[in-house]
Amino acid sequence: MGVVLNRFLQAIRLDRDAFVWMDFNDRATGDAAILVAGTQVLLALGTGSSIGDLINPIRLVSLVINGFFFWVIYSGAVYGVSRYLFEGHGTYAPVLRITGFAYPTVLIIIFMNLFVSSPALVLVIGGAWFVVVVANGMSYVADLAIEKAFGAAIGGYVLLVIVQTILSSLRIF
């Protein structure tokens, strides 16, 4: 787990070595999944859920599946935007790894909630570093200029919101 935390710290510091490692190491996908699941649990605890709520296996599995849903769909959206809109290179798997390693940065939401009263502003501030990490990873993995990488990271989020809106209207999620 020490390697994972080291690579996570490198990713949030925007160190290129972390993104190179994610690009070439297949094992990083499982590590990213662990980071996503752990972040979901910490977000639930930080936003008011009790440990008793999380002991319930149905609640815990639902929480982790929601995190995985965000992770997989957002990664696919970012990959699609970077590949087909901005003509980037690469494959889906490294994008999935980068997004997974960037995901714990959304824990900033918990701390920002203490200082900022607007929920919308908290989400924007909390998600900003996530987008920065994903964009920097995309600039390496997809061989994009940083402006296009930011466009892919933000465009992926817009596509995710559209997909969630469609699915929520179907009463699936």
Coordinates of all heavy atoms in Angstrom, one line a residue, residues 7-103:
R7 N 2.5 7.0 -5.0 CA 2.0 7.4 -6.4 C 0.9 8.4 -6.3 O 0.8 9.3 -7.1 CB 1.6 6.2 -7.2 CG 2.8 5.2 -7.5 CD 3.9 5.9 -8.3 NE 4.9 5.0 -8.5 CZ 6.0 5.3 -9.2 NH1 6.2 6.5 -9.6 NH2 7.0 4.3 -9.4
F8 N 0.0 8.2 -5.3 CA -1.1 9.1 -5.1 C -0.6 10.5 -4.8 O -1.0 11.5 -5.4 CB -2.1 8.6 -4.0 CG -3.0 9.7 -3.6 CD1 -4.0 10.2 -4.4 CD2 -2.9 10.2 -2.3 CE1 -4.9 11.2 -4.0 CE2 -3.8 11.2 -1.8 CZ -4.8 11.7 -2.7
L9 N 0.4 10.6 -3.9 CA 1.0 11.9 -3.5 C 1.7 12.5 -4.7 O 1.6 13.7 -4.9 CB 1.9 11.7 -2.3 CG 1.3 11.4 -1.0 CD1 2.3 11.1 0.1 CD2 0.3 12.5 -0.6
Q10 N 2.4 11.7 -5.5 CA 3.0 12.2 -6.7 C 2.0 12.7 -7.7 O 2.2 13.8 -8.3 CB 3.8 11.1 -7.4 CG 5.1 10.7 -6.7 CD 5.8 9.6 -7.5 OE1 5.2 8.8 -8.1 NE2 7.1 9.6 -7.4
A11 N 0.8 12.1 -7.8 CA -0.2 12.5 -8.7 C -0.8 13.8 -8.3 O -1.0 14.7 -9.1 CB -1.4 11.5 -8.8
I12 N -1.1 14.0 -7.0 CA -1.7 15.3 -6.5 C -0.6 16.4 -6.6 O -1.0 17.6 -6.6 CB -2.3 15.2 -5.1 CG1 -1.4 14.8 -4.0 CG2 -3.5 14.2 -5.2 CD1 -2.0 14.9 -2.7
R13 N 0.6 16.0 -6.6 CA 1.7 17.1 -6.8 C 2.0 17.3 -8.3 O 2.8 18.1 -8.6 CB 3.0 16.6 -6.1 CG 3.0 16.7 -4.6 CD 4.4 16.5 -4.0 NE 5.1 15.5 -4.7 CZ 5.6 14.3 -4.2 NH1 5.3 14.0 -2.9 NH2 6.2 13.5 -4.9
L14 N 1.2 16.6 -9.1 CA 1.3 16.7 -10.6 C 2.7 16.2 -11.1 O 3.2 16.8 -12.1 CB 1.0 18.1 -11.0 CG -0.3 18.7 -10.5 CD1 -0.5 20.1 -11.0 CD2 -1.5 17.8 -10.9
D15 N 3.3 15.3 -10.4 CA 4.6 14.7 -10.8 C 4.4 13.8 -12.0 O 3.6 12.8 -11.9 CB 5.2 14.0 -9.6 CG 6.6 13.6 -9.8 OD1 7.1 13.7 -11.0 OD2 7.2 13.0 -8.9
R16 N 5.1 14.0 -13.0 CA 4.9 13.2 -14.3 C 5.2 11.7 -14.1 O 4.6 10.9 -14.7 CB 5.9 13.8 -15.4 CG 5.7 13.2 -16.7 CD 6.5 13.9 -17.7 NE 6.2 13.5 -19.1 CZ 6.9 12.5 -19.7 NH1 7.9 11.9 -19.0 NH2 6.6 12.1 -20.9
D17 N 6.1 11.4 -13.1 CA 6.5 10.0 -12.9 C 5.2 9.2 -12.5 O 5.1 8.0 -12.9 CB 7.5 9.9 -11.8 CG 8.9 10.4 -12.2 OD1 9.1 10.5 -13.5 OD2 9.7 10.6 -11.4
A18 N 4.3 9.8 -11.8 CA 3.1 9.0 -11.3 C 2.3 8.7 -12.6 O 1.8 7.5 -12.7 CB 2.3 9.9 -10.4
F19 N 2.2 9.6 -13.5 CA 1.3 9.3 -14.7 C 2.0 8.3 -15.6 O 1.4 7.5 -16.3 CB 1.0 10.6 -15.4 CG 0.3 11.6 -14.5 CD1 0.9 12.9 -14.2 CD2 -0.9 11.3 -13.9 CE1 0.2 13.7 -13.4 CE2 -1.5 12.2 -13.1 CZ -1.0 13.4 -12.8
V20 N 3.3 8.4 -15.7 CA 4.1 7.4 -16.5 C 3.9 6.0 -15.9 O 3.6 5.0 -16.6 CB 5.6 7.7 -16.5 CG1 6.4 6.6 -17.1 CG2 5.8 9.0 -17.3
W21 N 3.9 5.9 -14.5 CA 3.7 4.6 -13.8 C 2.3 4.1 -14.1 O 2.1 2.9 -14.4 CB 4.0 4.8 -12.3 CG 3.7 3.6 -11.5 CD1 4.5 2.5 -11.3 CD2 2.6 3.3 -10.7 NE1 4.0 1.6 -10.5 CE2 2.8 2.1 -10.1 CE3 1.4 4.0 -10.5 CZ2 1.8 1.5 -9.2 CZ3 0.4 3.5 -9.6 CH2 0.7 2.3 -9.0
M22 N 1.3 5.0 -14.0 CA -0.1 4.6 -14.3 C -0.3 4.1 -15.7 O -1.1 3.2 -16.0 CB -1.0 5.7 -14.0 CG -1.2 6.0 -12.5 SD -2.3 7.4 -12.3 CE -1.4 8.3 -11.1
D23 N 0.5 4.7 -16.6 CA 0.3 4.4 -18.1 C 0.8 3.0 -18.3 O 0.2 2.2 -19.1 CB 1.1 5.4 -18.9 CG 0.8 5.3 -20.4 OD1 -0.2 4.6 -20.8 OD2 1.6 5.9 -21.2
F24 N 1.9 2.6 -17.7 CA 2.5 1.3 -18.0 C 2.3 0.2 -17.0 O 2.7 -1.0 -17.2 CB 4.0 1.5 -18.1 CG 4.4 2.3 -19.3 CD1 4.8 3.6 -19.2 CD2 4.2 1.8 -20.6 CE1 5.1 4.4 -20.3 CE2 4.5 2.6 -21.7 CZ 5.0 3.9 -21.6
N25 N 1.6 0.4 -15.9 CA 1.4 -0.6 -14.8 C 0.0 -1.0 -14.8 O -0.9 -0.2 -14.3 CB 1.9 0.0 -13.5 CG 1.9 -1.1 -12.4 OD1 1.5 -2.2 -12.6 ND2 2.5 -0.7 -11.3
D26 N -0.3 -2.2 -15.2 CA -1.7 -2.7 -15.2 C -2.2 -2.8 -13.8 O -3.4 -2.7 -13.6 CB -1.8 -4.0 -15.9 CG -1.6 -3.9 -17.4 OD1 -1.7 -2.8 -17.9 OD2 -1.3 -4.9 -18.0
R27 N -1.4 -3.1 -12.8 CA -1.8 -3.3 -11.4 C -2.4 -2.0 -10.9 O -3.2 -2.0 -9.9 CB -0.6 -3.7 -10.6 CG -0.9 -4.1 -9.2 CD 0.3 -4.4 -8.4 NE 1.1 -3.2 -8.1 CZ 1.1 -2.6 -7.0 NH1 0.4 -3.1 -6.0 NH2 1.8 -1.5 -6.8
A28 N -2.1 -0.9 -11.4 CA -2.6 0.4 -10.9 C -4.1 0.5 -11.0 O -4.7 1.3 -10.3 CB -1.9 1.6 -11.7
T29 N -4.7 -0.2 -11.9 CA -6.2 -0.2 -12.0 C -6.8 -0.7 -10.7 O -7.8 -0.1 -10.2 CB -6.7 -1.0 -13.2 OG1 -6.0 -0.5 -14.4 CG2 -8.2 -0.9 -13.4
G30 N -6.3 -1.8 -10.2 CA -6.8 -2.3 -8.9 C -6.5 -1.3 -7.8 O -7.4 -1.1 -6.9
D31 N -5.4 -0.7 -7.8 CA -5.0 0.3 -6.8 C -6.0 1.5 -6.8 O -6.4 2.0 -5.8 CB -3.6 0.7 -6.9 CG -2.6 -0.4 -6.8 OD1 -2.9 -1.4 -6.1 OD2 -1.4 -0.3 -7.3
A32 N -6.3 1.9 -8.1 CA -7.2 3.0 -8.2 C -8.6 2.6 -7.7 O -9.3 3.5 -7.1 CB -7.3 3.4 -9.7
A33 N -9.0 1.4 -7.9 CA -10.3 1.0 -7.4 C -10.4 1.0 -5.9 O -11.4 1.4 -5.3 CB -10.6 -0.4 -7.9
I34 N -9.3 0.6 -5.3 CA -9.2 0.7 -3.8 C -9.3 2.2 -3.3 O -10.0 2.5 -2.4 CB -7.9 0.0 -3.3 CG1 -8.0 -1.5 -3.5 CG2 -7.7 0.3 -1.8 CD1 -6.7 -2.2 -3.3
L35 N -8.6 3.1 -4.0 CA -8.7 4.5 -3.7 C -10.1 5.0 -3.9 O -10.6 5.8 -3.0 CB -7.7 5.3 -4.5 CG -6.2 5.1 -4.2 CD1 -5.3 5.8 -5.2 CD2 -5.9 5.6 -2.8
V36 N -10.8 4.6 -4.9 CA -12.2 5.1 -5.1 C -13.1 4.6 -4.0 O -13.9 5.4 -3.4 CB -12.7 4.7 -6.5 CG1 -14.2 4.9 -6.7 CG2 -11.9 5.4 -7.6
A37 N -13.0 3.3 -3.7 CA -13.8 2.7 -2.7 C -13.6 3.4 -1.3 O -14.5 3.7 -0.6 CB -13.6 1.2 -2.6
G38 N -12.3 3.5 -1.0 CA -11.9 4.2 0.3 C -12.4 5.6 0.4 O -12.9 6.1 1.4
T39 N -12.3 6.3 -0.7 CA -12.7 7.7 -0.7 C -14.2 7.8 -0.5 O -14.7 8.7 0.2 CB -12.3 8.4 -2.1 OG1 -10.9 8.3 -2.2 CG2 -12.8 9.8 -2.1
Q40 N -15.0 6.9 -1.1 CA -16.4 6.9 -1.0 C -16.8 6.7 0.5 O -17.7 7.4 1.0 CB -17.1 5.8 -1.8 CG -17.2 6.1 -3.3 CD -18.2 7.3 -3.5 OE1 -17.7 8.4 -3.8 NE2 -19.4 7.1 -3.4
V41 N -16.1 5.8 1.2 CA -16.4 5.6 2.6 C -16.1 6.8 3.4 O -16.8 7.2 4.3 CB -15.6 4.3 3.1 CG1 -15.7 4.2 4.6 CG2 -16.2 3.1 2.4
L42 N -14.9 7.4 3.1 CA -14.5 8.6 3.9 C -15.5 9.8 3.6 O -15.8 10.6 4.5 CB -13.1 9.0 3.5 CG -12.0 8.0 4.0 CD1 -10.6 8.4 3.5 CD2 -12.0 8.0 5.6
L43 N -15.9 9.9 2.3 CA -16.9 11.0 2.0 C -18.2 10.7 2.8 O -18.8 11.7 3.3 CB -17.2 11.0 0.5 CG -16.2 11.7 -0.4 CD1 -16.5 11.5 -1.8 CD2 -16.2 13.2 0.0
A44 N -18.6 9.5 2.9 CA -19.9 9.2 3.6 C -19.7 9.5 5.1 O -20.6 10.2 5.7 CB -20.2 7.7 3.4
L45 N -18.6 9.2 5.7 CA -18.3 9.5 7.1 C -18.2 11.0 7.3 O -18.7 11.5 8.3 CB -17.1 8.8 7.6 CG -17.2 7.3 7.7 CD1 -15.8 6.7 8.0 CD2 -18.2 6.9 8.8
G46 N -17.6 11.7 6.3 CA -17.3 13.1 6.5 C -18.6 14.0 6.2 O -18.6 15.1 6.6
T47 N -19.6 13.4 5.6 CA -20.8 14.1 5.3 C -21.9 13.7 6.2 O -23.1 14.1 5.9 CB -21.2 14.0 3.8 OG1 -21.3 12.6 3.5 CG2 -20.2 14.7 2.9
G48 N -21.7 13.0 7.2 CA -22.7 12.8 8.2 C -23.2 11.3 8.4 O -24.0 11.1 9.3
S49 N -22.7 10.4 7.6 CA -23.1 9.0 7.8 C -22.4 8.5 9.0 O -21.2 8.8 9.3 CB -22.8 8.2 6.6 OG -23.6 8.5 5.5
S50 N -23.0 7.6 9.8 CA -22.4 7.0 10.9 C -21.7 5.7 10.5 O -22.0 5.1 9.5 CB -23.4 6.8 12.0 OG -24.3 5.7 11.7
I51 N -20.8 5.2 11.4 CA -20.2 3.9 11.1 C -21.3 2.8 11.1 O -21.2 1.9 10.4 CB -19.1 3.7 12.2 CG1 -18.0 4.7 12.0 CG2 -18.6 2.3 12.1 CD1 -16.8 4.6 13.0
G52 N -22.3 3.0 11.9 CA -23.4 2.1 12.0 C -24.1 2.0 10.6 O -24.5 0.9 10.2
D53 N -24.2 3.1 9.9 CA -24.8 3.1 8.6 C -24.0 2.3 7.6 O -24.5 1.6 6.8 CB -25.0 4.5 8.0 CG -26.1 5.3 8.7 OD1 -26.9 4.7 9.4 OD2 -26.0 6.5 8.6
L54 N -22.7 2.4 7.8 CA -21.8 1.7 6.8 C -21.5 0.3 7.2 O -21.0 -0.5 6.3 CB -20.4 2.5 6.8 CG -20.5 3.9 6.3 CD1 -19.1 4.6 6.3 CD2 -21.1 4.0 4.9
I55 N -21.9 -0.2 8.4 CA -21.9 -1.6 8.7 C -22.9 -2.4 7.9 O -22.7 -3.5 7.5 CB -22.0 -1.8 10.2 CG1 -20.8 -1.3 10.9 CG2 -22.2 -3.3 10.5 CD1 -20.8 -1.3 12.4
N56 N -24.0 -1.7 7.6 CA -25.1 -2.3 6.7 C -24.5 -2.6 5.4 O -24.1 -1.7 4.6 CB -26.2 -1.3 6.6 CG -27.4 -1.9 5.8 OD1 -27.3 -2.9 5.2 ND2 -28.4 -1.1 5.7
P57 N -24.4 -3.9 5.0 CA -23.7 -4.2 3.7 C -24.4 -3.7 2.5 O -23.7 -3.3 1.5 CB -23.8 -5.8 3.7 CG -24.5 -6.2 4.9 CD -24.8 -5.1 5.7
I58 N -25.7 -3.5 2.6 CA -26.4 -3.0 1.4 C -26.0 -1.5 1.2 O -25.8 -1.1 0.1 CB -28.0 -3.1 1.6 CG1 -28.3 -4.6 1.5 CG2 -28.7 -2.3 0.5 CD1 -29.7 -4.9 1.9
R59 N -26.0 -0.7 2.3 CA -25.6 0.7 2.2 C -24.1 0.8 1.7 O -23.8 1.6 0.9 CB -25.7 1.3 3.6 CG -25.1 2.7 3.7 CD -26.0 3.8 3.2 NE -25.5 5.1 3.5 CZ -25.1 6.0 2.7 NH1 -25.1 5.7 1.4 NH2 -24.6 7.1 3.1
L60 N -23.3 -0.1 2.3 CA -21.8 0.0 1.9 C -21.6 -0.4 0.4 O -20.9 0.3 -0.3 CB -21.0 -0.9 2.8 CG -19.5 -0.9 2.6 CD1 -19.0 0.5 2.9 CD2 -18.9 -1.9 3.5
V61 N -22.3 -1.4 0.0 CA -22.1 -1.8 -1.4 C -22.7 -0.8 -2.3 O -22.1 -0.4 -3.4 CB -22.8 -3.2 -1.6 CG1 -22.9 -3.5 -3.1 CG2 -22.0 -4.3 -0.9
S62 N -23.8 -0.2 -2.0 CA -24.4 0.9 -2.8 C -23.5 2.1 -2.9 O -23.4 2.7 -4.0 CB -25.8 1.3 -2.2 OG -26.3 2.4 -2.8
L63 N -22.9 2.4 -1.8 CA -22.0 3.5 -1.7 C -20.8 3.3 -2.7 O -20.4 4.2 -3.4 CB -21.5 3.7 -0.3 CG -20.7 5.0 0.1 CD1 -21.7 6.2 0.0 CD2 -20.1 4.8 1.4
V64 N -20.2 2.1 -2.6 CA -19.0 1.8 -3.4 C -19.4 1.7 -4.9 O -18.7 2.2 -5.7 CB -18.4 0.5 -2.9 CG1 -17.3 0.0 -3.9 CG2 -17.8 0.7 -1.5
I65 N -20.6 1.1 -5.2 CA -21.0 1.1 -6.6 C -21.3 2.5 -7.1 O -20.9 2.7 -8.3 CB -22.3 0.2 -6.7 CG1 -21.9 -1.3 -6.5 CG2 -23.0 0.4 -8.0 CD1 -23.1 -2.2 -6.5
N66 N -21.8 3.4 -6.4 CA -22.0 4.7 -6.8 C -20.6 5.4 -7.2 O -20.5 6.1 -8.2 CB -22.7 5.6 -5.8 CG -24.2 5.3 -5.7 OD1 -24.7 4.8 -6.7 ND2 -24.8 5.6 -4.6
G67 N -19.6 5.1 -6.3 CA -18.3 5.6 -6.6 C -17.7 5.0 -7.9 O -17.1 5.7 -8.7
F68 N -17.9 3.7 -8.0 CA -17.4 3.0 -9.2 C -18.1 3.5 -10.5 O -17.5 3.6 -11.5 CB -17.5 1.5 -9.1 CG -16.5 0.9 -8.2 CD1 -16.7 -0.4 -7.7 CD2 -15.3 1.6 -7.8 CE1 -15.7 -1.0 -6.9 CE2 -14.4 1.0 -6.9 CZ -14.6 -0.3 -6.5
F69 N -19.4 3.8 -10.4 CA -20.2 4.3 -11.5 C -19.6 5.6 -11.9 O -19.3 5.8 -13.1 CB -21.6 4.4 -11.1 CG -22.5 5.0 -12.2 CD1 -22.9 4.2 -13.2 CD2 -22.8 6.4 -12.2 CE1 -23.7 4.7 -14.3 CE2 -23.6 6.9 -13.2 CZ -24.0 6.1 -14.3
F70 N -19.4 6.5 -11.0 CA -18.8 7.8 -11.3 C -17.4 7.6 -12.0 O -17.1 8.2 -13.0 CB -18.6 8.7 -10.1 CG -17.9 10.0 -10.3 CD1 -18.6 11.1 -10.8 CD2 -16.5 10.0 -10.2 CE1 -17.9 12.3 -11.0 CE2 -15.8 11.2 -10.4 CZ -16.5 12.3 -10.8
W71 N -16.6 6.8 -11.4 CA -15.3 6.6 -11.9 C -15.2 6.0 -13.3 O -14.5 6.6 -14.2 CB -14.6 5.6 -10.9 CG -13.2 5.2 -11.2 CD1 -12.2 5.9 -11.7 CD2 -12.7 3.8 -11.1 NE1 -11.0 5.2 -11.8 CE2 -11.3 3.9 -11.5 CE3 -13.2 2.6 -10.7 CZ2 -10.5 2.8 -11.5 CZ3 -12.3 1.5 -10.7 CH2 -11.0 1.6 -11.1
V72 N -16.0 5.0 -13.6 CA -16.0 4.4 -14.9 C -16.6 5.3 -16.0 O -16.0 5.5 -17.0 CB -16.7 3.0 -14.8 CG1 -16.9 2.4 -16.2 CG2 -15.9 2.0 -14.0
I73 N -17.7 5.9 -15.6 CA -18.4 6.7 -16.6 C -17.6 8.0 -16.9 O -17.4 8.4 -18.0 CB -19.8 7.1 -16.2 CG1 -20.7 5.8 -16.1 CG2 -20.5 8.0 -17.2 CD1 -20.8 5.0 -17.3
Y74 N -17.1 8.6 -15.8 CA -16.3 9.8 -16.0 C -15.0 9.5 -16.8 O -14.7 10.3 -17.7 CB -15.9 10.5 -14.7 CG -15.0 11.7 -14.8 CD1 -15.6 12.9 -15.2 CD2 -13.7 11.6 -14.6 CE1 -14.7 14.0 -15.3 CE2 -12.8 12.7 -14.7 CZ -13.4 13.9 -15.1 OH -12.6 15.0 -15.3
S75 N -14.4 8.4 -16.5 CA -13.2 8.1 -17.3 C -13.5 7.9 -18.7 O -12.7 8.3 -19.6 CB -12.6 6.8 -16.7 OG -12.2 7.0 -15.4
G76 N -14.6 7.2 -19.0 CA -15.0 6.9 -20.4 C -15.3 8.2 -21.1 O -15.0 8.4 -22.3
A77 N -16.0 9.1 -20.4 CA -16.3 10.4 -21.0 C -15.1 11.2 -21.3 O -14.9 11.8 -22.4 CB -17.3 11.2 -20.1
V78 N -14.1 11.3 -20.4 CA -12.9 12.0 -20.6 C -12.1 11.4 -21.7 O -11.6 12.1 -22.6 CB -12.0 12.0 -19.3 CG1 -10.6 12.5 -19.6 CG2 -12.7 12.9 -18.2
Y79 N -12.1 10.0 -21.8 CA -11.4 9.4 -22.9 C -12.0 9.7 -24.2 O -11.3 10.0 -25.2 CB -11.4 7.9 -22.7 CG -10.9 7.1 -23.8 CD1 -9.5 7.1 -24.2 CD2 -11.7 6.4 -24.7 CE1 -9.0 6.4 -25.3 CE2 -11.3 5.7 -25.8 CZ -9.9 5.7 -26.1 OH -9.5 5.1 -27.2
G80 N -13.3 9.7 -24.2 CA -14.1 10.0 -25.5 C -13.8 11.4 -26.0 O -13.6 11.6 -27.1
V81 N -13.9 12.3 -25.0 CA -13.7 13.7 -25.4 C -12.2 13.9 -25.9 O -12.0 14.6 -26.9 CB -14.0 14.7 -24.2 CG1 -13.5 16.1 -24.5 CG2 -15.5 14.7 -23.9
S82 N -11.3 13.4 -25.2 CA -9.9 13.6 -25.6 C -9.6 12.9 -26.9 O -8.8 13.4 -27.7 CB -8.9 13.1 -24.5 OG -9.0 11.7 -24.4
R83 N -10.1 11.7 -27.1 CA -9.8 10.9 -28.3 C -10.5 11.4 -29.5 O -9.9 11.6 -30.6 CB -10.2 9.5 -28.0 CG -10.0 8.5 -29.1 CD -8.5 8.2 -29.3 NE -8.4 7.2 -30.3 CZ -7.4 6.4 -30.4 NH1 -6.4 6.4 -29.5 NH2 -7.3 5.6 -31.4
Y84 N -11.8 11.7 -29.4 CA -12.6 11.9 -30.6 C -12.9 13.4 -30.8 O -13.1 13.8 -31.9 CB -13.9 11.2 -30.5 CG -13.7 9.7 -30.4 CD1 -13.9 9.0 -29.3 CD2 -13.2 9.0 -31.5 CE1 -13.7 7.6 -29.2 CE2 -12.9 7.7 -31.5 CZ -13.1 7.0 -30.3 OH -12.9 5.6 -30.2
L85 N -12.8 14.2 -29.8 CA -13.0 15.7 -30.0 C -11.7 16.4 -30.2 O -11.6 17.3 -31.0 CB -13.8 16.3 -28.8 CG -14.3 17.7 -28.9 CD1 -15.2 17.8 -30.1 CD2 -15.0 18.1 -27.6
F86 N -10.7 16.0 -29.3 CA -9.4 16.7 -29.4 C -8.3 15.9 -30.1 O -7.2 16.3 -30.1 CB -9.0 17.1 -28.0 CG -9.9 18.1 -27.3 CD1 -10.4 17.8 -26.0 CD2 -10.2 19.3 -27.9 CE1 -11.2 18.7 -25.4 CE2 -11.0 20.2 -27.3 CZ -11.5 19.9 -26.0
E87 N -8.7 14.7 -30.6 CA -7.8 13.9 -31.4 C -6.6 13.5 -30.6 O -5.4 13.5 -31.1 CB -7.4 14.5 -32.7 CG -8.6 14.8 -33.6 CD -8.3 15.5 -34.9 OE1 -7.1 15.9 -35.1 OE2 -9.2 15.7 -35.7
G88 N -6.8 13.1 -29.3 CA -5.7 12.6 -28.5 C -5.4 11.2 -28.8 O -6.0 10.5 -29.6
H89 N -4.4 10.7 -28.1 CA -3.9 9.3 -28.3 C -4.2 8.5 -27.1 O -4.6 9.0 -26.1 CB -2.4 9.3 -28.7 CG -2.1 10.1 -29.9 ND1 -2.4 9.7 -31.2 CD2 -1.5 11.3 -30.0 CE1 -2.0 10.7 -32.0 NE2 -1.5 11.7 -31.3
G90 N -3.8 7.2 -27.1 CA -3.8 6.4 -25.9 C -5.1 5.5 -25.9 O -5.9 5.5 -26.8
T91 N -5.2 4.8 -24.7 CA -6.3 3.9 -24.5 C -7.1 4.3 -23.3 O -6.7 5.2 -22.5 CB -5.8 2.5 -24.4 OG1 -4.9 2.4 -23.3 CG2 -5.0 2.0 -25.6
Y92 N -8.2 3.6 -23.0 CA -9.1 3.9 -21.9 C -8.4 3.5 -20.6 O -8.6 4.3 -19.6 CB -10.4 3.1 -22.1 CG -11.3 3.2 -20.9 CD1 -12.0 4.4 -20.6 CD2 -11.5 2.1 -20.1 CE1 -12.8 4.4 -19.6 CE2 -12.4 2.2 -19.1 CZ -13.1 3.3 -18.8 OH -13.9 3.4 -17.7
A93 N -7.7 2.4 -20.5 CA -7.2 1.9 -19.2 C -6.3 3.0 -18.4 O -6.6 3.2 -17.2 CB -6.4 0.6 -19.4
P94 N -5.4 3.6 -19.1 CA -4.6 4.7 -18.3 C -5.5 5.8 -17.8 O -5.3 6.4 -16.8 CB -3.6 5.1 -19.3 CG -3.4 4.0 -20.3 CD -4.8 3.4 -20.4
V95 N -6.5 6.2 -18.6 CA -7.4 7.2 -18.2 C -8.2 6.8 -16.9 O -8.4 7.6 -16.0 CB -8.4 7.6 -19.3 CG1 -9.4 8.7 -18.8 CG2 -7.6 8.1 -20.5
L96 N -8.6 5.5 -16.9 CA -9.3 5.0 -15.7 C -8.4 5.0 -14.5 O -8.8 5.4 -13.4 CB -9.7 3.5 -16.0 CG -10.6 2.8 -15.0 CD1 -12.0 3.5 -15.0 CD2 -10.7 1.4 -15.4
R97 N -7.1 4.7 -14.7 CA -6.2 4.7 -13.6 C -5.9 6.2 -13.1 O -5.9 6.4 -11.9 CB -4.8 4.1 -14.0 CG -4.9 2.7 -14.3 CD -3.6 2.1 -14.8 NE -3.9 0.9 -15.5 CZ -3.4 0.6 -16.7 NH1 -2.6 1.4 -17.4 NH2 -3.7 -0.6 -17.3
I98 N -5.8 7.1 -14.0 CA -5.5 8.5 -13.6 C -6.7 9.0 -12.8 O -6.6 9.7 -11.8 CB -5.3 9.4 -14.9 CG1 -3.9 9.0 -15.4 CG2 -5.4 10.9 -14.5 CD1 -3.6 9.6 -16.8
T99 N -7.9 8.8 -13.3 CA -9.1 9.2 -12.6 C -9.3 8.6 -11.3 O -9.6 9.3 -10.3 CB -10.4 8.9 -13.5 OG1 -10.2 9.5 -14.8 CG2 -11.6 9.5 -12.9
G100 N -8.9 7.3 -11.1 CA -9.0 6.7 -9.8 C -8.0 7.3 -8.8 O -8.3 7.4 -7.7
F101 N -6.8 7.6 -9.3 CA -5.8 8.2 -8.4 C -6.1 9.6 -8.1 O -5.7 10.1 -7.1 CB -4.4 8.0 -9.0 CG -3.7 6.7 -8.6 CD1 -4.0 5.5 -9.3 CD2 -2.8 6.7 -7.6 CE1 -3.4 4.3 -9.0 CE2 -2.2 5.5 -7.2 CZ -2.5 4.3 -7.9
A102 N -6.9 10.3 -9.0 CA -7.3 11.7 -8.7 C -8.5 11.7 -7.8 O -8.7 12.8 -7.1 CB -7.6 12.4 -10.0
Y103 N -9.3 10.7 -7.7 CA -10.5 10.7 -7.0 C -10.4 11.1 -5.5 O -11.3 11.8 -5.0 CB -11.2 9.3 -7.1 CG -12.7 9.3 -6.7 CD1 -13.6 9.9 -7.6 CD2 -13.1 8.7 -5.6 CE1 -14.9 10.0 -7.2 CE2 -14.4 8.8 -5.2 CZ -15.3 9.4 -6.0 OH -16.7 9.4 -5.7

